[in-house]
Amino acid sequence: MVSIRNRGRGRRSEHPLPEPGGAQRDALRLVKVGKVYGTRENAVTALRDVSLSLRAGSFTAVMGPSGSGKSTLLQCAAGLTAPDHGIVRVDGEEMTGGSETELTLFRRQRIGFVFQQYNLLPTLTVAQNTVLPLKLAGRRVDRERVRETLALVGLADRLGHRPDQLSGGQRQRVAIARALVTDPAVIFADEPTGALDTRSAREVLALLREAATVHGRTVVMVTHDPVAASCADSVQFLADGSLAGEMGRPTPDAVAERLTHLGDPLAGALPRTEG
């Protein structure tokens, strides 16, 4: 389905990308990515030629109404779903056609995931759940690094606990540690605070913020919550499968206001704004 091609290696892309300018490289680039589900009269266009560049170390929220294409955008960008056309480039390498095995190996090396429902194995301890991606990838487990990573998310005293012995916020912190321990270029978070109370949500958002600003990871978060989105550097809005504007330095009120106008005819023409 997908193969990984490094810049200057393998055949040349049909859509050559210019090198990003400035000192900071792009960790994630999408160029005219499209995805359609179904065929003929039942076809539903989930993404319409979406182009997006996110620099390394940035924290971006993706928002839009139900059916706008948020989840499909995340899945295509993360290599979980193959786009019908367009280019997806993560950490300088392109994912464009080939084998599922190549893509799986690439995801394990370069991409981290945080999901709303945690996706922890109930029979494994906190430490065992954290190192699972390393073991699946056949990589050496540095136990000291694992302890340090769990300490970073406030779970240094929970290494031997199982998920049912943790609160929802603690489970999500395990998921964040699991994403960080592989040293990914990009972390994709799908509604990471959706199942949490307000205090736990704040703690999880602070950890994602730290992953970007302190550890240099690029964080892409799909959310429906304007408060969660306001923790990001910027918000990308989607409507009907197309980008419908960007907001820098978002605030909850500004995000909520923009969401109410995404269906307006000129919404997609709105320039980048500051919250």
Side-chain angles (χ1 to χ4, degrees):
M1 178 184 292
V2 178
S3 69
I4 312 303
R5 294 204 306 274
N6 198 5
R7 218 177 354 246
R9 204 170 54 197
R11 71 178 179 83
R12 201 171 196 61
S13 168
E14 296 176 2
H15 306 279
L17 303 178
E19 292 297 323
Q24 290 182 311
R25 62 181 174 81
D26 288 336
L28 176 67
R29 296 200 76 192
L30 279 66
V31 179
K32 294 187 176 180
V33 170
K35 182 68 180 179
V36 177
Y37 293 106
T39 56
R40 297 183 179 178
E41 65 273 9
N42 295 320
V44 176
T45 301
L47 292 179
R48 304 173 187 270
D49 292 337
V50 172
S51 294
L52 181 65
S53 296
L54 301 180
R55 61 178 175 78
S58 62
F59 183 5
T60 302
V62 179
M63 302 194 77
S66 178
S68 62
K70 300 186 301 296
S71 294
T72 301
L73 175 64
L74 183 146
Q75 290 165 5
C76 288
L80 297 173
T81 297
D84 293 325
H85 61 264
I87 295 294
V88 177
R89 180 168 281 174
V90 174
D91 199 25
E93 297 201 26
E94 183 184 322
M95 304 185 289
T96 56
S99 77
E100 184 65 27
T101 299
E102 288 178 304
L103 180 55
T104 298
L105 291 173
F106 181 82
R107 284 198 304 260
R108 289 173 179 170
Q109 294 170 352
R110 308 291 182 91
I111 296 173
F113 297 98
V114 180
F115 300 98
Q116 180 176 346
Q117 297 302 326
Y118 323 126
N119 286 15
L120 304 179
L121 294 183
T123 59
L124 299 185
T125 66
V126 166
Q128 290 168 338
N129 267 292
T130 301
V131 303
L132 190 58
L134 295 173
K135 293 199 168 186
L136 289 173
R139 295 168 59 180
R140 184 179 69 86
V141 175
D142 183 337
R143 299 193 182 281
E144 182 59 31
R145 166 154 175 75
V146 173
R147 284 192 290 269
E148 290 174 356
T149 302
L150 286 167
L152 283 173
V153 300
L155 294 174
D157 59 344
R158 296 288 191 272
L159 275 66
H161 287 61
R162 287 184 167 77
D164 64 0
Q165 298 173 299
L166 305 175
S167 67
Q170 288 172 328
R171 293 179 196 179
Q172 196 61 294
R173 283 188 267 159
V174 176
I176 293 172
R178 182 181 57 192
L180 285 171
V181 78
T182 60
D183 288 328
V186 183
I187 295 175
F188 292 98
D190 190 2
E191 298 282 6
T193 62
L196 303 179
D197 58 55
T198 301
R199 178 179 177 180
S200 296
R202 283 199 302 264
E203 293 172 349
V204 164
L205 290 166
L207 287 171
L208 292 174
R209 172 81 265 169
E210 185 175 304
T213 57
V214 177
H215 303 291
R217 309 302 172 217
T218 301
V219 179
V220 183
M221 176 180 67
V222 167
T223 183
H224 68 279
D225 182 3
V227 174
S230 70
C231 295
D233 299 319
S234 64
V235 181
Q236 294 285 345
F237 295 95
L238 278 176
D240 297 322
S242 299
L243 288 177
E246 178 185 6
M247 179 180 293
R249 291 189 290 183
T251 65
D253 288 344
V255 170
E257 174 68 16
R258 176 65 68 85
L259 285 171
T260 65
H261 295 293
L262 283 184
D264 293 353
L266 296 179
L270 291 174
R272 174 185 172 91
T273 60
E274 302 295 327

